[in-house]
Every structure is written in C-alpha cells, then in structure tokens.
Amino acid sequence: MWLRKVSSCRPFCITHRNYMSASHLQDTAFLRSMPTEQARRNSSSNLKLLPAQGSFTKEFPELPILEFDSRGDEISADVPKLRIRTCTWNLAGKSPRDDFTHLLGIHPPVKVATPVVKEFADSLSENLYGQGEAPAVHAEAEEADVLAIGFQELSSNPVAPVMETVVMSEIWTSTLRKILSSRDYVLLQTIRLQGILLLCFCKSQHLRHVRNLDTSYLRLGASGWWGNKGAVGISFDVRGVSVCFVNSHLSPHDHAFEERVRNYRQVLADLSFSSVRTDVSTILEHDYAFWLGDFNFRIEGISQDKTLHYIEALKWPKLLKHDQLRRAAHMSGAFSTFKEGKIEFPPTYKFVQGTDTYDMRNPAKIRRPSYCDRILWRTRNASKKAQLIEYRSHMEYNISDHKPVTAVFEIALGSDKEQFVVFDPIDRWYIGENGYFRYSAKPGLYYSSWDWIGLFKTTYTSFSDYVTWLWTPGGKADNLGCINGRYITKTGRFLLIYFSSEHRCGVGFSDPFEITSV
C-alpha cells in the first residue's frame, strides 16, 4: 500500500524542486566549491591535519563543518523569543507505559544528579544518577512554547503490516495529546512514514500566529521504494520567521557509514515543502531548522572493553573522538552548517530492553554502545539567533533499547502579524438554537471555497477536534455565518476558528463565549 500525500482539506501534487536553485545556491554557497569524492582523494595540497581524532584526521578548509559542543547565540533580553523543546526516541515497537511528564518538560523545576556509571555491570541497571549534585535544570523552569517529538520504529519489524504502525501511531499520539492538553498544548501537525512519526505541539496562545503549515516525507529504504528508513518534516511560519523540524531514521549497522552519508545528502536535497511560500521549500531555506532522529552513527575504531571503560570513567570527550558523526562531518561534509550541543551523557544505544544495562548478551551480534540518537540545528544567517538551553538524555526511560534525547532552544522572533480573519464578539449561544456570527476578512487573505469555520471547545487538542463545522460563507470585508442549532447540543465555553486551506492552519480565532441552556 503506497503512501499518498494529501492536504488536510484538499489534494495537491508534490512538486520536485531543483535542489540547486538560484536561491538555494545563494543560501548554501559553500556547496559550489565542494570537491568531488575523487578530487578529495587525489588532492592532498588542500588538506590540513587536525588534532588526533581517532580514525579520522583530515578537514577540508573550504567546507564549513558541523559545529560540535555549541551553545548557539546569545539573544538580547528585549528580543521576543520562542522556546522550543525537541525530543527523539527510537521506540523499538514498544507502546507507552511510563510517566512522560519529565520527558516532555511539563513538571516543576527539579535538581537532577550527574549521570554516573559505577560498577558497570550493575550500575547502569540500578542508577545512572548517583553521585554528586548537578545544577538545577533551568530548561524545565519554563515550559516550551513548541514541542517537536520524533519517534522511530513504531514497529520493530521493518516489513510490519501498515495497520500495525497506524495503530501504534494512534496510541502514542493520543497518549501525548491527553498528557499535553492539560498544559494548554494543541497538536499543530503530525506526519508519519511507516514507523517514523513526527508530532508538533504548540501552546494555544501561539496558534493565531502560525502560518503556512506544511509537511513532507522521503523514503530511503530499498533504494527509495520503502519507508522503514527515511525522513519526515513539518514546516511553518510563526511571528515572521520560518521553522522546520525533520525527523529521520538512517541506515543501520556499523559498516553502513557511507550509506548514512548518502542518506543525509538525499534528505537535504529531496525533502521539500510545497506551501504557498516561494522563498522557502528546502530544509536550508528555513530561518531555523532542527534535525533530529536515529542517525545510526556508531562508535568505531576502539574495542568493546575500551568503550565500556570510557563510559564507566565518564570520559565522554575520549569516547566522542571515535564517533562516526564526527568522521562524517570532517571527511564527508555531512550536516555542514548545522550545530550540535555538548554531549555530556552516556551513549543512548544499545540497552537490554526494560533495563539500563548495555546489551552484550550475544557475542555474535555485539553492538558497541553508540550515540545513535542526535539533535542538530541551524540558522539561515547571522541575523537569526538560536540559543541552546539544554541537551541531555533520559536514562530513566527503559522500554526500548534506545534512550530518548531532548534539546531545548530559544529562538529570536520577528514582527507579530495580524490575524487574517477577525470575528465580532459573541455574547452567548443557546442549546438547540442557531448560532449566528459575523467576521471580516482582511486584505491579504487568499479566500478559497475549501476554507471552513469550526466550532471548538476551549479545551480542544487539535484542529481535528471540532464539535461541528461549515464551509466559509465568504472572504469579504463583512461576512455573516450560521451554525445550525441541531449541532449545538452541549453547554460550556467554546470558540470559532477560521481554517485556511491555503495556509493549512487557523488564521482567525474568536474570543471564547458561552453556550447555555435556554
């Protein structure tokens, strides 16, 4: 069963843009001088030696590389900001059964002890947070405005029936919606490619500022015919800046290093968005891009015993010298212009499921502990500021053979934008009686007969959570609408939302009003 990409309101075609368009070349000028693989092998005059980096020691000066151990940019106190929390987790086909409030950052500030591995065989299964007291986790002192959560392997079977991943997707989505709705989060958008799922939640107060919501996906498995490996993305504008989240699951196994690099290049070139924006279609054309997922880059060039020794001794820098992602960045230019925060946590793969113990049970299939799960980010130019607040793993979650990883950011916003549609105040409606409303469409709104207006409870959790809806009466300066009284059946607090098929999100929100019995 093949996937077909459709709009939430009407079908549209995927247009494959030329990756090397004029605007793209301007934004990624460094690609124009990037040498071919053959040129790199044949030209030693352009190379310089780096300090010892395990099995790789060369850097190409003309190619900006992935910036590791970055904190991002300082943002002035007077600049409006948006706090973003990102999460990546390979679920290994497991369903939710833990308390995820800590993972989602929606609980009061706490002090978290530094991860420690002592008496390695037992300590990982008992306590990775033992000795000493770490600074307070200030990222949790303030809830995020936007949550982007990327899952991989909703099913651990790469050829699982479609319905298996559909069911797991619904289970995880409904679980998170239930948890986050109590904190005023609304599911902004979701996209799934087989076992790869990306969810984006937003505080309801920011929904009126979101525009041009779009999704995209790219299959990488079986030479692009199968979606067990691949990438999905969500793109939108908010308060004058464009934001993109990408969740990817790249090729597995130690020996598939080159394949993972090719996966990266494919995603960068072919994952495109087809919204009405003419200047933003690829990942690199967004003001802010966040790339998360199970990249599957492994620790290499050292023995299993040495790897475990570095983990036991908390020698993360020594361990990371053997990280394949660093080799991919230095030798192949992978994730150029992206940044990653400083890693100060143990490798997040591979654990015995249900424990905190690395899996070394089968000598024939030993997988060296590795940093497979990563979160990277970039800004389009120097005028866009993004600051990393926190980058960490969550060792307390053990349903999978991977540990989840989160990163918290603050980004600088642009100017606020007015709503395209403004509703007149509504005093109250009554059960069983027609509900009349009036609204005005401001210049700049592209009106479509596919636009609709929905009646929502104020506790709604997504744009699909409407009580009832109707096609819009029009897009004029003054419009009158009516919702039939037969659909007005419950009391409480409600609001109207104008959903634009062009922007694929709400572009007009009424003030809350009461529905009461007569």
Side-chain angles (χ1 to χ4, degrees), residues 43 47 62 95 117 134 253 311 313 337 343 369-370 378 393 429 514:
S43 175
L47 305 180
E62 74 277 10
S95 56
V117 183
H253 307 308
I311 296 173
T337 74
I343 293 179
S370 297
R378 79 181 294 274
S393 66
W429 287 354
E514 295 283 343

Side-chain angles (χ1 to χ4, degrees), residues 94 136 190 202 210 252 271 304 310 364 366 421:
K94 302 302 180 183
T190 178
C202 179
V210 174
L271 189 75
Q304 182 88 338
Y310 285 150
I366 286 181
V421 172

Side-chain angles (χ1 to χ4, degrees), residues 1-3 151-155 157-162 164-169 191-197 217 219 221 225-229 232:
M1 179 176 179
W2 299 107
L3 290 174
F151 293 131
Q152 307 86 38
E153 289 194 17
L154 291 173
S155 171
N157 181 1
V159 292
V162 172
E164 182 178 331
T165 56
V166 170
V167 170
M168 287 299 294
S169 173
I191 182 170
R192 181 186 62 83
L193 174 65
Q194 288 184 216
I196 306 170
L197 176 66
Y217 64 83
R219 304 182 191 93
W225 290 97
W226 196 242
N228 64 314
K229 296 297 184 285
V232 295

Side-chain angles (χ1 to χ4, degrees), residues 262-450:
R262 283 194 292 271
N263 289 166
Y264 149 76
R265 290 171 178 162
Q266 284 179 270
V267 174
L268 198 66
D270 297 334
L271 189 75
S272 61
F273 300 91
S274 54
S275 72
V276 295
R277 295 170 299 185
T278 58
D279 60 335
V280 179
S281 60
T282 64
I283 296 171
L284 298 185
E285 290 171 338
H286 288 80
D287 294 324
Y288 301 98
F290 301 90
W291 196 331
L292 51 100
D294 179 0
F295 295 171
N296 261 319
F297 286 109
R298 308 301 174 92
I299 295 296
E300 65 177 6
I302 56 174
S303 67
Q304 182 88 338
D305 290 341
K306 194 70 172 178
T307 301
L308 299 180
H309 167 71
Y310 285 150
I311 296 173
E312 186 178 27
L314 309 181
K315 294 182 177 180
W316 318 130
K318 288 184 176 294
L319 190 60
L320 286 163
K321 286 182 179 181
H322 302 274
D323 173 34
Q324 282 188 344
L325 180 56
R326 279 167 162 71
R327 176 157 75 99
H330 286 277
M331 300 298 291
S332 303
F335 298 97
S336 296
T337 74
F338 278 84
K339 299 177 182 180
E340 184 182 30
K342 189 174 184 180
I343 293 179
E344 297 181 296
F345 50 83
T348 55
Y349 176 80
K350 178 184 195 235
F351 290 85
V352 177
Q353 293 182 9
T355 76
D356 295 323
T357 305
Y358 287 112
D359 190 351
M360 294 174 282
R361 295 171 297 179
N362 185 351
K365 292 184 64 176
I366 286 181
R367 290 181 172 90
R368 191 180 294 105
S370 297
Y371 292 99
C372 293
D373 311 284
R374 315 292 274 263
I375 300 175
L376 314 178
W377 83 96
R378 79 181 294 274
T379 59
R380 184 168 184 174
N381 53 50
S383 67
K384 308 302 179 187
K385 305 292 185 182
Q387 182 176 7
L388 175 66
I389 307 299
E390 176 190 76
Y391 189 33
R392 59 163 297 186
S393 66
H394 295 262
M395 294 295 179
E396 66 271 30
Y397 296 99
N398 57 25
I399 62 174
S400 171
D401 55 358
H402 289 251
K403 300 297 184 180
V405 173
T406 59
V408 180
F409 304 89
E410 284 187 346
I411 64 171
L413 298 175
S415 58
D416 196 2
K417 295 202 173 183
E418 294 183 310
Q419 292 189 79
F420 282 125
V421 172
V422 177
F423 288 91
D424 288 357
I426 299 172
D427 182 22
R428 72 178 60 235
W429 287 354
Y430 297 95
I431 288 179
E433 295 187 2
N434 291 344
Y436 293 95
F437 59 91
R438 187 183 296 274
Y439 68 92
S440 59
K442 294 192 174 181
L445 172 68
Y446 175 82
Y447 170 72
S448 167
S449 57
W450 291 102

